[in-house]
Amino acid sequence: METDTTPYFNPFDPDFRDNPYPHYQRLLAAPPLKYSGPVSAVVISSYDDAEGVLRDPETFSNHRPEQTPFRQLDLTGGAATMLGADPPVHTRLRKLVSRDFTPRRIATMAPRIEEITAALLDEVAASARFDVIADLANQLPVMVIAEILGIPTQRHREFKAWSNAIIASSAVPPNLPRPPEAIEATLALRTFLADEIERRRHTPGPDLISALIASQEAEALTPGELLGFLILLLMAGNETTTNLIGNGVLALMRHQEQLQRLRKAPDLINSAIEEMLRFDSPVQGTVRLARHKANVRGTDIEPGTLVIVLLAAANRDPSRFARPDAFDIARDPNEHLAFGEGIHFCLGAPLARLEGSIAIRSIVQRFPRLALADQAARLTYKGSLFLRGLASLPITIG
């Protein structure tokens, strides 16, 4: 097993985050690697290895260990969430909330998502250029979530600011203090949602918070679990879709032949979204904790070892995908791992796919002369450990 992993994997390095894919190629060519940085871990990169780990919750727990950067901010007050729980707790929580995120129910939201998207694009249509991130991708997902929760959409900018501050703090090595703005954002978010929960107890409405309160009163959710789920929904539900839209538009800008292909065959939009998810995954990786001794392709993993599963590397594995570094909006088959695998497969995948397809289809159809505003400019990625997203994406539309 390799032990000098510095050239291969350093997620705390901004240059690595800007373009991790050449490093993933080297990781894919070797067995799982030991990483000895701010945290110690075994790094899993190949598709088969990643799928095997994600499908084995008995051996690889999803409980977040204290040593990882992901537990430096207490978002939920110690309450269990689907993201950091194993069965049977995970099973109970997911069963309770999954009825509100079925593909059929999410599909009924399409007209409203199209309406919000059109309104946001109306605001920039008279300009020669606009920023895909600031003007659309940052706003659409959090506005949709705010409506699902029954929160006035004018609060969505606060939501996004809190989310950005908290997520950015994950890029700070765990041996360093959390940024004050992240701590303040955590407190503000918890306080706001706790107040909203209390308000709905007295004045319920046709929204998700009210529905979950009713479930809580039936002893399905504890108060902490309810608050934890709402925080998880806001954080995971808006940032990943923001990154899908931004990364997807960038891929089209850099592959003009695929952009023209989508213009001529708009029915390829769903296939295009799957390729965007695979090609430049909004979630680059996830973590597990070994419960028992295991061996992955000759690499021994001792109990208590942190395991980092690089979803984005697995999505470029040449043993699974033909021409893995090519962007092909009609790729078939395309069984990527962008939403994870197994019991923790992303609950919000139908909503992310719907929002992404509506947003990107609307941009492509509405603006026939799309191009990067400055082809030579270096794009900047946000400071997040495993969430890959652009800070800005200026494009010309005139």
Side-chain angles (χ1 to χ4, degrees):
M1 182 198 300
E2 289 279 354
T3 56
D4 180 12
T5 62
T6 302
Y8 296 83
F9 181 71
N10 185 4
F12 297 99
D13 181 355
D15 289 333
F16 179 96
R17 290 199 303 271
D18 281 353
N19 186 15
Y21 295 106
H23 302 275
Y24 291 164
Q25 289 178 351
R26 299 183 72 180
L27 285 166
L28 286 165
L33 295 178
K34 284 184 176 177
Y35 172 65
S36 299
V39 294
S40 297
V42 170
V43 181
I44 303 293
S45 55
S46 81
Y47 188 101
D48 288 344
D49 293 346
E51 185 180 43
V53 168
L54 297 177
R55 285 185 173 275
D56 186 2
E58 175 59 32
T59 303
F60 299 101
S61 168
N62 205 47
H63 178 70
R64 295 290 190 260
E66 294 296 335
Q67 74 206 69
T68 73
F70 308 100
R71 290 294 296 273
Q72 296 301 304
L73 289 172
D74 185 6
L75 296 176
T76 66
T81 68
M82 289 187 299
L83 188 62
D86 296 316
V89 174
H90 171 269
T91 307
R92 176 175 62 84
L93 294 177
R94 189 173 182 110
K95 181 179 179 181
L96 175 65
V97 301
S98 61
R99 62 178 179 238
D100 294 296
F101 290 91
T102 63
R104 178 175 295 181
R105 179 165 291 192
I106 293 299
T108 66
M109 301 174 62
R112 179 58 181 145
I113 296 173
E114 290 174 350
E115 184 180 358
I116 295 172
T117 302
L120 291 171
L121 293 181
D122 283 345
E123 295 180 7
V124 300
S127 305
R129 57 185 281 172
F130 78 97
D131 189 326
V132 172
I133 305 302
D135 296 320
L136 179 63
N138 271 347
Q139 298 191 57
L140 174 63
V142 75
M143 291 174 74
V144 171
I145 290 173
E147 292 200 3
I148 291 173
L149 297 179
I151 295 170
T153 55
Q154 58 263 35
R155 302 298 300 266
H156 78 269
R157 293 186 187 277
E158 288 178 280
F159 270 21
K160 192 63 178 179
W162 293 333
S163 177
N164 286 347
I166 294 168
I167 289 172
S169 72
S170 72
V172 178
N175 57 327
L176 297 179
R178 299 298 95 185
E181 58 270 22
I183 297 172
E184 293 170 6
T186 301
L187 178 60
L189 176 58
R190 285 178 54 84
T191 300
F192 176 81
L193 289 175
D195 289 345
E196 285 295 311
I197 291 170
E198 189 61 28
R199 184 165 69 85
R200 305 309 164 76
R201 291 192 195 282
H202 301 288
T203 312
D207 56 78
L208 182 59
I209 293 179
S210 298
L212 291 175
I213 288 172
S215 296
Q216 180 192 350
E217 291 172 350
E219 299 184 354
L221 276 176
T222 68
E225 289 168 350
L226 173 58
L227 179 60
F229 174 72
L230 297 180
I231 293 173
L232 176 61
L233 177 62
L234 173 64
M235 299 287 293
N238 86 76
E239 186 66 20
T240 53
T241 307
T242 292
N243 295 348
L244 166 59
I245 295 169
N247 296 354
V249 172
L250 176 62
L252 289 174
M253 296 300 94
R254 287 177 166 171
H255 300 83
Q256 286 288 316
E257 76 288 353
Q258 297 296 311
L259 173 61
Q260 297 309 318
R261 189 179 185 185
L262 185 57
R263 286 195 195 285
K264 294 176 182 178
D267 58 321
L268 285 175
I269 185 60
N270 291 334
S271 173
I273 292 296
E274 299 308 311
E275 179 66 346
M276 293 166 187
L277 287 162
R278 183 202 70 84
F279 182 76
D280 199 4
S281 303
V283 179
Q284 294 277 294
T286 187
V287 297
R288 295 292 188 266
L289 189 70
R291 296 187 189 192
H292 314 295
K293 185 171 183 178
N295 184 283
V296 178
R297 271 202 305 147
T299 298
D300 287 327
I301 301 177
E302 297 297 325
T305 300
L306 183 69
V307 178
I308 297 175
V309 183
L310 293 177
L311 306 173
N315 288 339
R316 296 286 191 103
D317 190 338
S319 71
R320 173 63 63 145
F321 300 98
R323 301 183 305 118
D325 296 322
F327 180 64
D328 179 2
I329 64 170
R331 182 181 293 273
D332 184 30
N334 193 354
E335 296 178 351
H336 59 75
L337 298 179
F339 289 121
E341 188 58 272
I343 64 171
H344 287 283
F345 184 85
C346 178
L347 185 69
L351 180 58
R353 284 171 162 139
L354 180 62
E355 289 181 290
S357 63
I358 289 174
I360 293 174
R361 184 188 66 220
S362 298
I363 293 173
V364 170
Q365 290 181 343
R366 186 157 182 173
F367 305 119
R369 292 183 294 277
L370 291 171
L372 289 174
D374 186 349
Q375 296 283 348
R378 178 179 176 178
L379 296 170
T380 301
Y381 285 83
K382 290 176 284 190
S384 177
L385 191 60
F386 284 149
L387 297 177
R388 177 169 170 79
L390 293 157
S392 177
L393 181 59
I395 62 173
T396 58
I397 58 177

